[in-house]
Amino acid sequence: MLSRLIAVIVCGIFVSVILVGCSSTSNPSGAQNDGPDVAITYPPDNSVIGSTVDVVADATDSRSVAVVEFYVDGALALSDSTSPYAYAWDAVCTLLGSAHQIHATAYDDVGNSTTSDTITVHSRWRTIIEDGDEARDCNVKSIAVRSTETLLEFRVEMYGGWVDPHAYPLDCGLFLDTDCDTLTGMSEASGFGYAPNDIGADYLALVGLEGDVIAAWNDSTAWGVVADYEYVNITGNSDYFEAGVALEDLSWPSAIDIVVANISDFWDWAPDTGHVRYEVTGDYIEGATLRIGTSAPAPTPNDGRPTPLMSGKTE
Ligand SMILES: [Ca+2]
Ligand SMILES: [Ca+2]
Ligand SMILES: [Ca+2]
């Protein structure tokens, strides 16, 4: 009996040693079935990227991280087995204003995996309005925006091109409700004749025949010019223009309700009903070849290229 008991105890100790041994050699600090912790740390979610961007992921594991895979729009773009985990994405061929999803999947050394949250990035511009209700000349097609720490920038695309808007009876106005309050700024009640979607616009950013200026609504009476653009990038017979407004000239809004109107022989508002709210977050990140300084002139996208450029171009 005693020898049998000793045998059981010895066996128990032996099994324990094996279990401890197993545990200490293959699972040093926890469950061995866990995949790594993984997250995209750059670029920020919902940012506007330039032509290239370094996508960076952080991955850790109780064992070791074997590889981190980067996916763009569901397709494997790069496998990186060395920390820091990064993928230099050349996004130059992506469509301007298009949105893309990025995620990373990390594997540990025994094949356990975890997939990160997915982030969305926008290619050089964030498209906020796609109108396209009437494909006639000079109608609004789309509006894209972005912001830096100091600038609100927008890109307006038209059907049919700009036939030198400074000579042609054509204006494009962006009505900006910078306090997101319909009770302040221009409204139908002001009797001014036009009040796009009645959003209570506090500023009007105008490009065209009547000048390239920023105007503020003067207490229910009229628009008064308050500032010039930081830049206006416009090419005759192209189908778009780009412009930048100092956020300071708009009294540093945190969000803006936007309606754009093509004001000419024929009108077009976009969107035709409602408005779009843009959170001013400085979403345009560094590392972009198209980043525009506060004082430097914008690059001319048409340089060295045939004109007119067509909508849907990638530059
Ligand atoms: Ca693991
Ligand atoms: Ca307002
Ligand atoms: Ca429209």
Side-chain angles (χ1 to χ4, degrees):
M1 175 62 100
L2 182 60
S3 62
R4 187 177 296 174
L5 180 61
I6 290 173
V8 168
I9 291 172
V10 168
C11 187
I13 292 172
F14 183 67
V15 168
S16 296
V17 166
I18 289 182
L19 287 176
V20 169
C22 261
S23 172
S24 62
T25 55
S26 63
N27 189 23
S29 59
Q32 58 181 306
N33 294 327
D34 289 350
D37 291 327
V38 58
I40 302 281
T41 57
Y42 193 86
D45 188 25
N46 223 19
S47 55
V48 179
I49 63 167
S51 300
T52 62
V53 63
D54 287 327
V55 181
V56 180
D58 184 51
T60 57
D61 189 76
S62 60
R63 297 175 54 92
S64 64
V65 175
V67 66
V68 174
E69 296 176 338
F70 290 91
Y71 290 82
V72 177
D73 296 330
L76 178 62
L78 180 82
S79 297
D80 190 354
S81 57
T82 308
S83 175
Y85 306 102
Y87 165 51
W89 181 26
D90 177 358
V92 70
C93 289
T94 54
L95 197 67
L96 285 182
S98 56
H100 301 275
Q101 278 72 48
I102 301 175
H103 74 265
T105 299
Y107 293 83
D108 68 13
D109 60 338
V110 290
N112 300 314
S113 67
T114 309
T115 294
S116 72
D117 288 342
T118 297
I119 65 163
T120 297
V121 296
H122 305 264
S123 179
R124 286 160 286 180
W125 294 94
R126 185 191 301 191
T127 300
I128 62 167
I129 300 172
E130 289 186 273
D131 197 55
D133 53 343
E134 297 171 72
R136 60 184 185 186
D137 282 354
C138 294
N139 260 34
V140 178
K141 179 174 183 285
S142 66
I143 311 299
V145 298
R146 65 191 182 199
S147 55
T148 67
E149 289 183 354
T150 58
L151 287 182
L152 170 71
E153 301 174 271
F154 51 83
R155 174 187 171 97
V156 179
E157 296 206 24
M158 300 275 190
Y159 288 101
W162 285 72
V163 190
D164 189 359
H166 297 96
Y168 188 76
L170 177 60
D171 285 298
C172 183
L174 279 91
F175 293 81
L176 308 173
D177 179 16
T178 51
D179 59 4
C180 297
D181 183 351
T182 57
L183 299 180
T184 62
M186 180 192 195
S187 70
E188 292 281 5
S190 68
F192 197 67
Y194 56 90
N197 301 328
D198 214 12
I199 63 170
D202 306 294
Y203 290 91
L204 169 60
L206 196 64
V207 170
L209 181 68
E210 296 179 62
D212 302 337
V213 292
I214 312 302
W217 185 248
N218 290 334
D219 296 333
S220 76
T221 54
W223 293 105
V225 174
V226 293
D228 293 322
Y229 283 92
E230 294 300 302
Y231 71 89
V232 176
N233 179 15
I234 188 166
T235 305
N237 290 318
S238 69
D239 56 5
Y240 72 98
F241 70 90
E242 297 170 355
V245 185
L247 288 168
E248 182 178 20
D249 290 336
L250 302 176
S251 303
W252 297 105
S254 59
I256 307 174
D257 287 347
I258 299 176
V259 169
V260 62
N262 171 26
I263 308 163
S264 64
D265 299 339
F266 30 79
W267 286 58
D268 183 31
W269 296 355
D272 294 292
T273 59
H275 59 267
V276 173
R277 178 162 299 176
Y278 173 67
E279 305 288 340
V280 184
T281 56
D283 52 15
Y284 191 37
I285 61 172
E286 271 295 349
T289 58
L290 290 180
R291 180 152 189 158
I292 296 164
T294 53
S295 59
T300 304
N302 278 18
D303 272 353
R305 300 168 194 274
T307 54
L309 293 172
M310 298 305 294
S311 295
K313 61 202 155 293
T314 59
E315 289 191 359

